[in-house]
Amino acid sequence: MTRLRITAREAVTGPVLEVSGDLDYAGAPELRERVAALTLRPGLRLVLDLGGMEFCDSSGLTALIAARSHAHAARADLALAAVPANNTLRIMQIVGLDQVFTLHPDIRSATSP
């Protein structure tokens, strides 16, 4: 298991959180707290860069859904970038979350205005 690491930065479209390691039962609360602490404005796009994420369980998926809810409550958008195809993207497709989230193949396309 790899400890969750979250790095924040700004892009022209809004805040970016780079998520690496395991987004699981132990790490999901940290992501929820980091997202809840963000002040989003209408029209901004919160991007979660998942390119470094190694594992995601149901708690992690719930944290992603909570991030989407936080963004939408502020009338902002949420995009997921570089969702790992080996496990996470496949599970998202099976449960239909690929239809709920805006998915981008990489961080560059997710942060383009």
Side-chain angles (χ1 to χ4, degrees):
M1 296 185 76
T2 306
R3 187 181 181 296
L4 182 71
R5 289 176 311 284
I6 300 172
T7 306
R9 67 180 180 85
E10 287 291 322
V12 294
T13 53
V16 176
L17 295 180
E18 297 173 6
V19 178
S20 59
D22 294 345
L23 184 56
D24 57 9
Y25 179 79
E30 181 180 351
L31 179 61
R32 291 175 77 116
E33 290 170 12
R34 293 288 297 268
V35 168
L38 293 172
T39 301
L40 299 174
R41 297 184 319 272
L44 288 181
R45 180 183 315 139
L46 168 59
V47 176
L48 300 180
D49 180 358
L50 305 180
M53 189 172 68
E54 296 175 19
F55 175 77
C56 183
D57 68 7
S58 60
S59 299
L61 292 176
T62 301
L64 296 177
I65 293 167
R68 182 181 180 274
S69 296
H70 178 73
H72 284 211
R75 295 190 342 248
D77 292 325
L78 176 111
L80 303 181
V83 179
N86 58 348
N87 291 319
T88 307
L89 182 59
R90 183 171 179 264
I91 290 168
M92 291 179 81
Q93 291 168 334
I94 290 169
V95 299
L97 289 176
D98 62 323
Q99 302 300 308
V100 173
F101 288 100
T102 301
L103 305 176
H104 291 270
D106 54 44
I107 191 64
R108 195 175 109 196
S109 64
T111 56
S112 295

